[in-house]
Amino acid sequence: MTVRLDIIGSSPAWPNPGGACSGYLVEGRLLLDCGPGVLAKLRERPGTDGWPDVEAIAITHLHLDHWGDLVPWVWGSLFGPGAEHPKPELRLPPGARAALLPILAQLGGEDMLERAFEVDEYESGRPFELAGLTLTALPVVHYTIPAFGFRVVGERTLAYSGDTGPCNELLELAQGADLFLCEATLDDPDSDGPRRGHLSADEARAAGGGSGTRRLVLTHRPDERTAPPGIELAHDGLELSF
Ligand SMILES: [Zn+2]
């Protein structure tokens, strides 16, 4: 058995031309991150009746390019075609509900996420079940904010870095994974902050090699920054089996 991974959005913190920010669909039912542009891409997928049949969504961290489309998802669920669909489960990082309250109060109401999703927070390092898969969120290094990568275990093992700088946790996350979807935002590691938050393509490749992952796919990379030869690079609409 193989597992399917659809790249819905692969842009960095700003959209590549015509692109969506972070969104990765596992087995057609589990969405990892939901950045701006992801909902529109999901809605136009073949076989979708105008609204995504996603069972669950898991968010790596609270930078907007990883969760921003939850807001229009709420409105479409309450007042649009999403009203005909069951509420997806939504798993947020620890502490995220409290952190989002003042923001959501301005965007539409403190309880707006609960109106559209079955909301809960995951715990760092503790496996949890979601959409028939087992996820473990491990903390990674992303400037000063809490951020996580996901290890998703089903018929195969997928590791998704979220946004991260180099760290040992990333190697643990990707250890022996069948597919390692790893961010590679930077051209030059020296352009990152003194506290690291992203990876260069070479750093991502080193993490893939150091963790013994079987297949490395880079993402979260600006179109203007080419990938080194011989490395797989995600793009919106890419369908992967592993
Ligand atoms: Zn980020």
Side-chain angles (χ1 to χ4, degrees):
M1 292 285 288
T2 58
V3 169
R4 178 166 168 161
L5 174 67
D6 289 291
I7 307 297
I8 308 299
S10 58
S11 293
W14 61 95
N16 287 324
C21 289
S22 296
Y24 308 97
L25 188 62
V26 185
E27 295 283 65
R29 60 182 193 266
L30 170 64
L31 182 65
L32 304 178
D33 283 334
C34 187
V38 167
L39 181 55
K41 296 270 188 188
L42 288 172
R43 292 196 66 193
E44 67 181 4
R45 280 165 58 81
T48 302
D49 68 349
W51 198 258
D53 264 324
V54 169
E55 290 180 27
I57 304 169
I59 303 295
T60 56
H61 67 295
L62 293 188
H63 279 159
L64 193 79
D65 57 313
H66 291 257
W67 72 274
D69 254 14
L70 293 180
V71 174
W73 199 309
V74 169
W75 305 135
S77 296
L78 296 179
F79 308 115
E84 309 297 320
H85 291 247
K87 284 182 174 184
E89 295 191 72
L90 174 62
R91 293 294 176 270
L92 298 171
R97 293 168 103 172
L100 285 174
L101 278 183
I103 300 167
L104 297 175
Q106 298 298 316
L107 294 178
E110 288 185 349
D111 67 340
M112 61 185 288
L113 292 181
E114 281 78 7
R115 296 176 71 187
F117 304 102
E118 300 291 345
V119 186
D120 204 350
E121 295 178 356
Y122 52 79
E123 292 179 40
S124 178
R126 182 179 181 135
F128 58 102
E129 301 294 316
L130 203 55
L133 300 160
T134 303
L135 278 70
T136 306
L138 292 179
V140 291
V141 172
H142 193 43
Y143 304 121
T144 58
I145 72 161
F148 295 83
F150 291 132
R151 189 172 172 92
V152 183
V153 179
E155 297 282 344
R156 296 279 189 274
T157 297
L158 165 69
Y160 166 46
S161 67
D163 284 3
T164 184
C167 57
N168 289 334
E169 289 82 356
L170 189 60
L171 302 182
E172 184 182 343
L173 184 85
Q175 193 66 46
D178 296 293
L179 192 149
F180 180 23
L181 181 65
C182 187
E183 77 119 289
T185 311
L186 305 175
D187 253 345
D188 177 6
D190 291 338
S191 66
D192 213 4
R195 184 177 166 89
R196 294 295 305 273
H198 289 295
L199 300 170
S200 70
D202 284 343
E203 288 173 329
R205 180 157 51 186
S211 59
T213 188
R214 293 171 189 274
R215 182 177 175 186
L216 173 69
V217 178
L218 303 188
T219 191
H220 205 271
R221 189 159 180 84
D223 265 6
E224 298 77 16
R225 298 173 190 166
T226 55
I231 295 192
E232 266 190 281
L233 183 61
H235 60 81
D236 297 12
L238 179 64
E239 301 172 0
L240 298 167
S241 291
F242 64 97

